[in-house]
Amino acid sequence: MSTVLLLAQDQPLPPAPKVEAPPLTAIWPILIVLGAACVGVLFEAFLPRHQRWPAQVVLTLLTLAGAGVSLALYLTDAPAAGELAMFGTLAVDRPALFLWGTLLALSFGAVLMIADRSVEPGGAFVASAAIRPGTLQDRAQVASTGMQTEVFPLTLFALGGMMIFCSANDLLTMFIALEVLSLPLYLMCGLARRRRLLSQEAAVKYFLLGAFASAFFLYGLALLYGYAGSVRLADIAGAAAGTDRSDTLLFAGMALLIVGLLFKASVGPFHTWTPDVYQGAPTPVTAFMAACTKVAAFGGILRVLQVAFEATSWEWRSVLWGVAIVSMIIGAVLGLTQTDVKRMIAYSSVAHAGFLLVGAIALTEKGLSATLFYLLTYGFTTLAAFGVISLVRDSSGEATHLSQWAGLAKRSPLVAGVFTFILLALAGIPLTSGFVGKFVVFEAALADGMAPLVVIALIASAVAAFFYLRVIVLMYFSEPAADGPTVTVPGAFTTAAITLGVLVTLLLGIAPAFALDWAAGGAFAIR
């Protein structure tokens, strides 16, 4: 035994395994956002109540600005082909960088709306769940403690999850990011000061249906792992391109996975949560969800379809044709029947999800860039739309019934004019970003041989334009009720958010070349 030990000591030791150091420069925006979210939690634990709101607002806005600066600095020398970070779990490529920039810009506008305390005295969020709004206790609570400031770190956690989700290079990382972005949103939906039962109902519905969709995603992930022996998108693509294994696991796993993704993107018929949650959630949270969640969800859909399943597009493309058609029909037709402005915008988002899916199905570089540009335009237009909706109020809070918007142009011509411009952009009228977005998406689909789908999309756009024009006619050609709602003078934060959305909608409609060139900067990294 001693002889064996002596011989073993004479042998050189094997070299230590090399561990690849992740390039943190590529993911500094994510680290800044998630780090600041943790700091925000510490603020809630250690700062006195009266100091939390200003501290959280400053921290959140500085975080978004700092993440944007770090992203801009990285873009100056970012490799054209992209690079992998965090041991290959994140793909930092040109589409991911575009999506990160879009999410940060949209989140900045949404946080301004969340932080505003002038439109709704005390803020849009409940100060204490045990006190009814409007009572003496409520007013005293708001005066002493202000709004619920936990919403700021929750917003940052959701944003960090969205940024990871649209750059995930494997399905397991994507699933974790899906939960990180979803769980804060479930909580935020139930924090409304007014119409609290409706808000809590929306949160429960979103949570239950979200958990159901996450189960679909996870089951699909397991089946794809059984098929490819890996959860990396590139390995799944390699197995799908040529293998003697049964395709049952592949297509069953893909179907379940796509169902989970389509749910987050509110694509019909997986949209059932959207109208109730949009209506019940606090309007600033609705704006954040409507703009940012759709960007993250379609970023994930684009990456999964173009990286993992492009080789099998012949088998699944016709199915997604049908899904896109159903989504456009549901959004356009059911939107006509709505009498609530927020529910109308919700069904509008379902129709727009169908238009976005048209671009996602076109597995070309032009289809990718067009869809990314559409996400940018739709996000800012929706942000401004919900900002305006939050201003029209009566004694019970926001006046969202369409009958209450009659004659709004006579009460507030400026607000009516801004909302008219936003509705025209959603309808895709020229000189707005909505027109350019639809044009480039439909052009990419035509170039990829999807003329019948484009014709259906144009018909759906024309139908959807009717309920936008109905609101415009109601505002300008109806007499206001004597006891109708008033338009609240917005504070600086809400004014800045609406102005940002309107200016971007106008600029991208008149001079979209810069954003189109950035969106066309490169393809997904497949490694």
Side-chain angles (χ1 to χ4, degrees):
M1 185 67 181
S2 59
T3 305
V4 174
L5 291 175
L6 289 173
L7 291 174
Q9 291 175 356
D10 293 337
Q11 299 295 326
L13 295 174
K18 293 183 179 180
V19 179
E20 175 193 1
L24 295 181
T25 55
I27 59 170
W28 264 115
I30 295 177
L31 297 178
I32 291 173
V33 169
L34 292 179
C38 296
V39 174
V41 173
L42 296 178
F43 280 5
E44 290 297 313
F46 295 107
L47 288 182
R49 283 186 178 272
H50 67 278
Q51 295 181 4
R52 292 178 189 172
W53 182 83
Q56 293 283 20
V57 172
V58 171
L59 172 67
T60 305
L61 294 179
L62 287 179
T63 297
L64 297 176
V69 170
S70 68
L71 177 62
L73 293 175
Y74 178 75
L75 279 170
T76 57
D77 58 352
E83 64 177 315
L84 299 184
M86 297 307 295
F87 306 101
T89 58
L90 297 178
V92 186
D93 45 31
R94 291 292 176 173
L97 296 174
F98 182 91
L99 291 167
W100 288 1
T102 302
L103 286 170
L104 290 172
L106 293 174
S107 298
F108 191 87
V111 167
L112 290 176
M113 292 177 58
I114 290 171
D116 194 291
R117 297 195 295 182
S118 60
V119 174
E120 173 69 48
F125 301 93
V126 61
S128 176
I131 300 177
R132 293 178 56 191
T135 61
L136 292 175
Q137 295 91 339
D138 178 56
R139 287 193 287 270
Q141 185 82 353
V142 169
S144 62
T145 65
M147 59 183 261
Q148 198 80 305
T149 51
E150 290 92 340
V151 68
F152 293 103
L154 289 175
T155 301
L156 291 179
F157 276 121
L159 174 61
M162 293 174 188
M163 296 174 71
I164 296 173
F165 186 79
C166 60
S167 61
N169 195 41
D170 64 73
L171 296 179
L172 190 58
T173 303
M174 187 173 285
F175 174 74
I176 295 172
L178 177 65
E179 297 307 301
V180 172
L181 76 90
S182 298
L183 292 175
L185 291 177
Y186 301 152
L187 295 173
M188 293 163 67
C189 287
L191 294 179
R193 285 192 67 239
R194 297 182 180 270
R195 301 177 183 177
R196 193 168 301 163
L197 290 179
L198 188 64
S199 175
Q200 292 171 353
E201 179 186 353
V204 171
K205 287 181 178 178
Y206 194 18
F207 169 70
L208 293 177
L209 292 175
F212 195 58
S214 296
F216 272 90
F217 187 99
L218 191 58
Y219 196 11
L221 184 158
L223 293 180
L224 289 171
Y225 177 76
Y227 173 79
S230 173
V231 293
R232 290 173 67 94
L233 299 180
D235 294 339
I236 295 172
T243 181
D244 56 354
R245 302 168 190 169
S246 171
D247 288 339
T248 303
L249 283 177
L250 172 64
F251 292 115
M254 178 191 172
L256 294 172
L257 186 77
I258 295 299
V259 165
L261 292 172
L262 295 178
F263 171 88
K264 294 308 298 183
S266 65
V267 179
F270 312 101
H271 70 287
T272 50
W273 63 275
T274 309
D276 293 330
V277 174
Y278 276 35
Q279 183 184 22
T283 299
V285 174
T286 305
F288 178 65
M289 284 193 304
C292 297
T293 304
K294 196 171 292 290
V295 171
F298 267 99
I301 290 172
L302 287 167
R303 186 175 295 277
V304 166
L305 292 182
Q306 296 206 9
V307 176
F309 300 123
E310 185 175 9
T312 58
S313 60
W314 180 257
E315 284 82 359
W316 55 258
R317 202 174 187 189
S318 59
V319 177
L320 289 187
W321 269 50
V323 173
I325 293 171
V326 169
S327 185
M328 290 184 286
I329 292 175
I330 289 175
V333 174
L334 294 186
L336 295 172
T337 66
Q338 301 306 308
T339 58
D340 186 273
V341 179
K342 292 175 76 173
R343 292 183 72 90
M344 184 193 75
I345 299 297
Y347 280 105
S348 167
S349 77
V350 176
H352 281 279
F355 303 144
L356 284 162
L357 196 57
V358 172
I361 297 171
L363 301 179
T364 60
E365 291 186 5
K366 184 178 290 187
L368 172 62
S369 62
T371 307
L372 293 177
F373 179 80
Y374 199 126
L375 289 170
L376 175 66
T377 61
Y378 175 78
F380 279 103
T381 305
T382 305
L383 191 71
F386 284 108
V388 173
I389 290 172
S390 69
L391 301 180
V392 183
R393 312 179 71 85
D394 56 18
S395 59
S396 63
E398 293 171 352
T400 58
H401 197 278
L402 280 179
S403 62
Q404 296 174 296
W405 288 62
L408 185 68
K410 295 180 175 62
R411 292 182 181 274
S412 179
L414 179 61
V415 171
V418 170
F419 199 60
T420 298
F421 176 72
I422 293 167
L423 292 176
L424 293 177
L426 291 173
I429 303 301
L431 298 182
T432 66
S433 61
F435 172 78
V436 181
K438 286 183 178 179
F439 180 83
V440 295
V441 164
F442 295 163
E443 181 187 23
L446 283 173
D448 202 35
M450 294 191 292
L453 189 58
V454 172
V455 171
I456 296 173
L458 289 172
I459 295 173
S461 297
V463 174
F466 176 79
F467 58 78
Y468 300 129
L469 295 176
R470 179 181 62 174
V471 179
I472 296 173
V473 170
L474 192 66
M475 290 191 299
Y476 282 92
F477 300 102
S478 299
E479 290 298 324
D483 58 346
T486 60
V487 176
T488 302
V489 178
F493 285 161
T494 298
T495 301
I498 297 174
T499 303
L500 176 66
V502 171
L503 286 179
V504 173
T505 301
L506 179 63
L507 290 175
L508 293 181
I510 297 175
F514 170 75
L516 286 170
D517 292 341
W518 187 22
F524 289 115
I526 305 177
R527 280 183 255 172

